Amino acid sequence: NEDGIGDLQGIISKLDYIKELGFETIWISPFFQSPQKDWGYDVSDYLNIAPEYGDMSDVVRLIHEIHQRDMHILFDFVLNHTSDQHPWFQESRSSRKSPKRDWYIWRDGQGSRPPNNWKAQTGRSGWNFDPGTDQWYYASFLPFQPDLNFRNPDVKDVMFNIARYWLDKGVDGFRLDIFHCLFKDEYFRDNPWSYHLLPKNAMAGFFQDWRFNSNQQDTIQFAHEFRKLIASYTPERMLLGELFGDNDVIRDYLGEDQKGLNLIFSWELMDLRINAGHFRDIIRHYEEEFPDPYTPVFVLGNHDSKRLVSRVGENLLFAKLLALYLFTLRGIPVTYYGDEIGMSDVHIPGKYAKDPVGKLYKWIPEFISDNLNIYLNRDRCRTPMQWDKSENAGFSKPGVNPWLPIHHNFTHVNVRSEALDEKSFLNIYKDLLFIRRESKAIQEGTIELINCPDNEDQLLAFKRQSEQEVALVLINLSGTDCIFNNKTECRHAVFQIGSHDISSEGQIRINPWSGLILST
Ligand code: NOJ
């Protein structure tokens, strides 16, 4: 309704854009009723829609319109916690005797201290004192997001029923928010000490190993149970886990028999280095640890992290080459809205943050957070989509301020302008998605690294192969030319970023910051 915040009708009106680009599945962050303290990740009613985003008829229409276009839709399911405004929590905190007391995690403190040493993912103790009932409740993220107690069978039942409710309405599956936190140690043992201050991969941080408050065996079992529920609908329905753990744990969630979560995000590409060896290692790692039929889900950006273009220091060519890498890897590529036009972070100081994490840490000077490479104000990557160069970038009507500021580069970084430029991010994404759709080798073939002994650090080369097809990918991640002696059967460039030359003997010169895909 052009009131400056996104809504479901807005998404419906842009489905053709997404479809024409070549995307197949859409995941939308939560649009259920919520006080919006964490922008939907604090749900106060899982079965109704936040009025600012639309209503039930909009959701039903959204699902229908997506399916009409032969696409799929995933909802974001925040199982781990609710809002503290959810009637369940209101009831739970009302008295120790409340029938819903045990729906959340309540414990006595140790004198004036919390029940144990568990830290929330956002840094402080996960325990919050409730003076009304003189006990502490646990929250893995922020205090207004109390964790549900999944050890209570009623909680499990109610959440499974919510899943059924949406599956019955036709949703194709769920992205599962902080899934690794679902169950906690039943004995509430203290976490052991760790030398990690900054949370690296959500398995340790703030000087503790998150052994007893994440990745419990019961969560793995729950994943398998949830999969059974999903599978009882249609084979295409799926669960995509947002979780962090070591390789063994991830394999357990997925199941050796592939009967756990269908997919889990792979975070390796969020930590970038300009070095071909780094990207070779990622491929090697997945081939060793998660060989087919395990299917990695690679992401270059999301609503919690610095935007890709900003993360690579506005090195636009590098960002484009990363898209080439993402779309030609074995696995499933995920794109965060706006990355397909190369949107950048908007500089929004912590004191203006709408993001609760940004608000919490607004006292940390930016030069410190930047140097430590920690991302505190997530507003910066959540700014409005840049559709065109009109006022408010076509996101809301002139005169209506959008909920977050728009990057000043919107006059040239926008969908309409980029459509006219064949070298733009937009056209690169579109071409890559097209090639991927047409090529069985890239979609589902094997992947094989090719050594480049003369320019190991600069040049990345790999082959994708299905029964019928082969594709060769070459990426020069440096400011100098690289020569590749092509001994493969792939001779014809079908896609390129930057430029290259192919000699009649098959030698390929890949110019600085260039990349290409060749086929037979
Ligand atoms: C992970 C989500 O991606 C993030 O945006 C949210 O704030 C937390 N989970 C809490 O639900």
Side-chain angles (χ1 to χ4, degrees):
N1 63 3
E2 297 203 87
D3 62 357
I5 61 169
D7 56 34
L8 295 167
Q9 290 286 352
I11 297 174
I12 293 171
S13 74
K14 298 298 184 183
L15 288 178
D16 286 334
Y17 163 77
I18 301 171
K19 170 76 183 171
E20 277 160 28
L21 269 173
F23 289 106
E24 294 166 351
T25 299
I26 305 179
W27 145 44
I28 307 178
S29 54
F31 42 72
F32 311 101
Q33 276 193 11
S34 160
Q36 308 289 6
K37 280 177 141 188
D38 188 15
W39 305 107
Y41 288 96
D42 49 329
V43 179
S44 56
D45 182 347
Y46 290 86
L47 302 179
N48 282 299
I49 310 307
E52 54 274 42
Y53 298 148
D55 59 23
M56 191 60 84
S57 67
D58 294 321
V59 175
V60 171
R61 197 172 140 226
L62 176 70
I63 297 175
H64 174 74
E65 295 283 338
I66 285 181
H67 289 163
Q68 286 285 90
R69 288 167 178 78
D70 219 4
M71 296 168 80
H72 293 99
I73 173 162
L74 302 185
F75 286 0
D76 205 318
F77 199 1
V78 191
L79 285 163
N80 180 70
H81 50 261
T82 67
S83 156
D84 61 358
Q85 301 306 307
H86 197 297
W88 302 337
F89 187 70
Q90 298 281 314
E91 165 71 56
S92 180
R93 87 182 321 173
S94 66
S95 134
R96 288 194 186 203
K97 297 221 168 61
S98 150
K100 292 227 164 33
R101 186 66 171 178
D102 190 44
W103 278 41
Y104 293 83
I105 301 170
W106 290 100
R107 307 286 289 176
D108 289 329
Q110 311 176 55
S112 59
R113 299 205 345 266
N116 68 16
N117 74 350
W118 296 351
K119 291 267 168 66
Q121 303 228 317
T122 45
R124 298 183 307 188
S125 166
W127 294 101
N128 303 280
F129 184 64
D130 184 51
T133 53
D134 196 22
Q135 272 195 320
W136 300 69
Y137 67 88
Y138 188 71
S140 293
F141 204 68
L142 287 164
F144 59 82
Q145 292 159 308
D147 280 26
L148 285 160
N149 174 16
F150 274 85
R151 296 195 182 277
N152 181 327
D154 293 344
V155 169
K156 205 161 88 178
D157 284 355
V158 82
M159 288 320 236
F160 276 171
N161 281 336
I162 289 165
R164 286 190 191 99
Y165 177 85
W166 290 116
L167 289 163
D168 289 337
K169 291 214 181 292
V171 70
D172 297 293
F174 303 100
R175 175 259 189 199
L176 305 172
D177 189 63
I178 57 168
F179 192 70
H180 53 298
C181 292
L182 224 57
F183 282 79
K184 288 89 187 157
D185 176 49
E186 60 179 317
Y187 306 110
F188 292 87
R189 283 169 281 188
D190 273 345
N191 277 333
W193 189 85
S194 146
Y195 60 86
H196 283 102
L197 164 61
L198 299 177
K200 186 71 191 127
N201 37 22
M203 289 186 297
F206 313 116
F207 299 118
Q208 58 181 244
D209 169 358
W210 298 350
R211 190 172 310 167
F212 293 117
N213 55 349
S214 76
N215 288 329
Q216 301 299 293
Q217 206 47 46
D218 308 81
T219 314
I220 291 168
Q221 204 181 314
F222 180 91
H224 288 250
E225 249 180 87
F226 201 177
R227 172 66 176 272
K228 270 197 205 120
L229 187 162
I230 283 267
S232 71
Y233 279 76
T234 52
E236 282 193 355
R237 312 264 178 140
M238 65 159 168
L239 298 173
L240 165 57
E242 185 222 22
L243 59 89
F244 302 81
D246 59 29
N247 297 338
D248 289 340
V249 171
I250 302 282
R251 276 190 296 264
D252 287 348
Y253 278 117
L254 294 165
E256 240 178 81
D257 53 2
Q258 309 289 315
K259 289 196 172 149
L261 301 183
N262 305 66
L263 298 167
I264 293 175
F265 285 116
S266 309
W267 306 109
E268 270 70 11
L269 301 189
M270 299 298 257
D271 184 14
L272 298 168
R273 258 160 282 158
I274 305 186
N275 180 296
H278 171 64
F279 294 100
R280 216 175 286 127
D281 286 348
I282 292 176
I283 295 177
R284 214 172 272 134
H285 171 81
Y286 277 91
E287 291 318 290
E288 279 164 15
E289 298 287 341
F290 298 97
D292 185 62
Y294 291 111
T295 307
V297 181
F298 289 109
V299 282
L300 278 171
N302 65 23
H303 62 296
D304 296 328
S305 329
K306 197 185 261 190
R307 275 197 181 269
L308 171 62
V309 164
S310 304
R311 218 162 347 115
V312 297
E314 305 282 322
N315 180 342
L316 301 185
L317 288 171
F318 183 30
K320 287 176 179 171
L321 291 173
L322 285 169
L324 166 58
Y325 180 67
L326 173 75
F327 286 108
T328 52
L329 282 174
R330 183 178 72 78
I332 296 175
V334 176
T335 299
Y336 180 48
Y337 85 88
D339 279 356
E340 82 279 18
I341 55 167
M343 276 172 58
S344 301
D345 264 26
V346 176
H347 181 249
I348 304 173
K351 63 177 173 191
Y352 300 120
K354 295 205 159 120
D355 170 24
V357 180
K359 282 184 188 161
L360 182 63
Y361 287 113
K362 62 171 183 251
W363 52 272
I364 297 186
E366 266 170 54
F367 73 91
I368 295 187
S369 51
D370 287 351
N371 274 314
L372 292 173
N373 200 16
I374 44 176
Y375 198 59
L376 296 176
N377 184 4
R378 299 174 298 174
D379 289 352
R380 295 173 171 205
C381 67
R382 298 174 173 183
T383 60
M385 178 69 185
Q386 297 167 197
W387 294 108
D388 58 41
K389 61 179 181 192
S390 67
E391 191 183 328
N392 294 331
F395 182 80
S396 57
K397 62 181 169 223
V400 177
N401 278 344
W403 77 294
L404 286 174
I406 292 172
H407 200 291
H408 59 75
N409 70 12
F410 79 95
T411 48
H412 60 280
V413 178
N414 68 63
V415 173
R416 189 174 286 182
S417 308
E418 290 195 22
L420 306 172
D421 169 6
E422 66 175 52
K423 293 193 170 139
S424 66
F425 271 95
L426 185 71
N427 280 317
I428 284 175
Y429 270 73
K430 196 169 182 179
D431 291 351
L432 282 169
L433 278 157
F434 178 79
I435 286 173
R436 194 186 155 87
R437 204 166 48 243
E438 297 293 298
S439 163
K440 277 266 171 290
I442 296 179
Q443 254 177 57
E444 55 195 45
T446 56
I447 188 163
E448 185 194 327
L449 284 165
I450 303 176
N451 285 336
C452 308
D454 298 335
N455 21 47
E456 271 197 330
D457 291 339
Q458 293 81 29
L459 185 64
L460 179 65
F462 56 90
K463 222 162 96 165
R464 301 292 316 274
Q465 186 151 11
S466 65
E467 264 176 34
Q468 315 287 339
E469 291 168 35
V470 198
L472 170 66
V473 181
L474 299 173
I475 303 179
N476 178 358
L477 290 173
S478 78
T480 50
D481 293 354
C482 286
I483 303 293
F484 180 77
N485 285 314
N486 188 6
K487 303 209 176 79
T488 75
E489 58 274 60
C490 301
R491 300 274 142 181
H492 304 285
V494 291
F495 170 86
Q496 65 174 25
I497 290 172
S499 56
H500 64 272
D501 291 307
I502 305 182
S503 75
S504 48
E505 294 81 54
Q507 208 180 53
I508 306 176
R509 184 160 54 83
I510 307 122
N511 291 333
W513 300 109
S514 295
L516 62 157
I517 304 176
L518 296 104
S519 79
T520 45

